[in-house]
């Protein structure tokens, strides 16, 4: 079993009138998950409620405000509380990422191996595929009980999505996963 004993999220301050860039692939993954689980009409309803355009290309750059608006609209449109929706999305994104980028996963044998490889292997490859993308930073330490402490820094504040990604990766590798959030700057 992999125990992620804690992770923390730190966000750099955003300057007034500026936004952080989010790559369109994230929106594509969200659309695929919503359409498969809730139907095309719910995706359209979510876009309308979030007041976003909804035409996202995988390599395009979009304001992070769009993903925040979609997350905020999930509760009234889908009846899913924001933190649960973000975790759900992270979990649902993994099989889609595996289908699109099998090599990112094939090189790893376990959840622990994959997570430890993200900063040095997966993220650099993603930056090659999606030029100009900003990826989170991670640091890992062994815990006294054999678990792992993961520190996670992201300008996009998608810690809860990352929690879901960890669950999805554990499912893919057939690993048990236990998480305990020690500290976060993200409000849930």
């Amino acid at each position: 079993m992999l125990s992620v004993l804690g992770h923390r999220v730190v966000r750099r301050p955003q300057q007034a009138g500026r936004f952080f860039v989010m790559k369109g692939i994230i929106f594509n993954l969200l659309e695929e998950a919503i359409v498969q689980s809730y139907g095309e009409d719910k995706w359209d309803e979510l876009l309308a409620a979030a007041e976003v355009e909804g035409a996202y290309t995988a390599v395009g750059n979009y304001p992070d405000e769009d993903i925040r608006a979609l997350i905020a609209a999930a509760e009234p449109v889908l009846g899913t509380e924001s933190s649960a929706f973000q975790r759900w999305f992270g979990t649902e994104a993994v099989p889609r990422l595996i289908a699109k980028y099998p090599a990112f996963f094939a090189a790893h044998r376990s959840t622990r191996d994959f997570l430890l490889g993200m900063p040095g292997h997966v993220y650099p490859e993603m930056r090659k595929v999606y030029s100009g993308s900003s990826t989170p930073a991670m640091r890992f330490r062994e815990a006294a009980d054999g678990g792992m402490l993961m520190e996670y820094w992201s300008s996009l504040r998608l810690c809860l999505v990352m929690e879901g990604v960890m669950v999805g990766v554990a499912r893919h590798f057939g690993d048990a996963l236990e998480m305990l959030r020690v500290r976060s700057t993200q409000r849930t």
Side-chain angles (χ1 to χ4, degrees):
M1 177 195 319
L2 172 65
S3 297
V4 179
L5 296 178
H7 56 275
R8 66 180 179 149
V9 179
V10 178
R11 182 180 175 147
R12 296 180 310 230
Q14 198 168 353
Q15 295 177 359
R18 300 200 56 199
F19 59 85
F20 292 109
V21 172
M22 176 154 283
K23 296 308 275 187
I25 183 68
I26 301 301
F27 296 97
N28 299 154
L29 293 167
L30 180 59
E31 178 181 7
E32 290 172 20
I34 296 288
V35 168
Q36 183 177 3
S37 296
Y38 296 95
E40 186 78 41
D41 291 345
K42 283 294 182 186
W43 173 247
D44 292 339
E45 192 177 332
L46 188 65
L47 292 173
E51 299 179 353
V52 295
E53 187 175 318
Y56 301 105
T57 62
V59 295
N61 294 323
Y62 304 95
D64 66 328
E65 295 158 351
D66 282 14
I67 198 74
R68 293 195 198 304
L70 289 163
I71 289 168
E75 189 163 358
V77 173
L78 303 174
T80 305
E81 188 268 327
S82 176
S83 59
F85 176 74
Q86 290 177 68
R87 287 183 188 100
W88 171 85
F89 169 50
T91 303
E92 291 293 313
V94 172
R96 290 161 177 79
L97 287 168
I98 293 167
K100 292 176 189 308
Y101 309 104
F104 290 169
F105 292 85
H108 303 285
R109 299 283 178 236
S110 68
T111 304
R112 180 186 209 93
D113 184 40
F114 181 83
L115 291 175
L116 290 171
M118 284 180 79
H121 176 71
V122 175
Y123 286 158
E125 290 301 315
M126 290 301 288
R127 285 190 293 271
K128 287 179 193 174
V129 173
Y130 298 104
S131 171
S133 64
S134 171
T135 55
M138 298 174 167
R139 184 172 56 198
F140 299 93
R141 291 181 290 176
E142 293 291 324
D145 70 353
M148 177 171 69
L149 176 66
M150 178 178 93
E151 293 181 277
Y152 176 85
W153 295 270
S154 171
S155 58
L156 299 174
R157 262 195 183 173
L158 296 175
C159 174
L160 299 173
V161 174
M162 184 60 194
E163 286 181 13
V165 167
M166 289 189 288
V167 169
V169 169
R171 283 183 186 164
H172 170 70
F173 288 111
D175 294 334
L177 176 68
E178 180 181 316
M179 284 187 285
L180 170 67
R181 184 184 309 173
V182 175
R183 181 175 60 190
S184 175
T185 60
Q186 180 170 345
R187 290 171 180 74
T188 55

